[in-house]
Amino acid sequence: MQMRRKLLWSLAAVGAAAGIAGLGTFATFTSTTSADQTITAGTVAISLGATGASTNRLTVNASGLVPGDTIQRSVDLIDGGNQNLSAITLTTSASPTSLLDSDATNGLQLVIDRCSAAWTEAGTNPAFTYTCTGATTSVLATRAVIGSTLVLSNLTSLTAGSTDHLRATLTFPATAGNTFQGLTSTITFAFNGTQRTATNQ
């Protein structure tokens, strides 16, 4: 019996020592700190002026053209984003299509100019004309009306919050022959803005 008690006391002592050793193994000093960082993406947004107003006459149709006629339409190009742009391009397409848009030489020719102030509109719908009371700058030199990703130059709307006052002029060349009589084309103007070059933020 005495031997048994000694054995139990020995086992208890060993267990207590193991418990104390275990406590020493898992005890550590700790320290924690943190910081919050808010990340917000910028916005890129270009738009045209109010449809039907002098700030966007691109939707106004023209009919009864004969060789030598011109069509002038004003449109405001607005950068409504909060980030600058690296480029603005124009793609024009036609549907329905005809020789009016597919003949690069005798079909419609397009030129776009910018005025430093809003264009002064004259004439009655649809025969509008425009004069500039400020400085006039070329945005797109004369070319065939249909084109893809045409780079527009001398724009202030590359800067966020800016607006360009543009005038698109379509000319029906005097060289167009009888094969153009009665033809119809619907021209779509699609402007595309590209974000500024990525930087270190």
Side-chain angles (χ1 to χ4, degrees), residues 70-120:
T70 59
I71 304 164
Q72 291 188 349
R73 299 290 183 260
S74 63
V75 61
D76 279 0
L77 184 59
I78 304 162
D79 184 342
N82 61 20
Q83 297 298 303
N84 294 340
L85 302 175
S86 62
I88 296 178
T89 60
L90 170 66
T91 294
T92 50
S93 57
S95 180
T97 184
S98 72
L99 284 175
L100 285 171
D101 62 84
S102 62
D103 188 325
T105 301
N106 298 308
L108 295 170
Q109 304 295 302
L110 171 66
V111 61
I112 300 178
D113 297 304
R114 178 179 69 85
C115 182
S116 58
W119 291 94
T120 301

Side-chain angles (χ1 to χ4, degrees), residues 57 60 73 121-129:
R57 296 292 194 191
V60 177
R73 299 290 183 260
E121 185 176 80
T124 55
N125 190 343
F128 297 115
T129 59

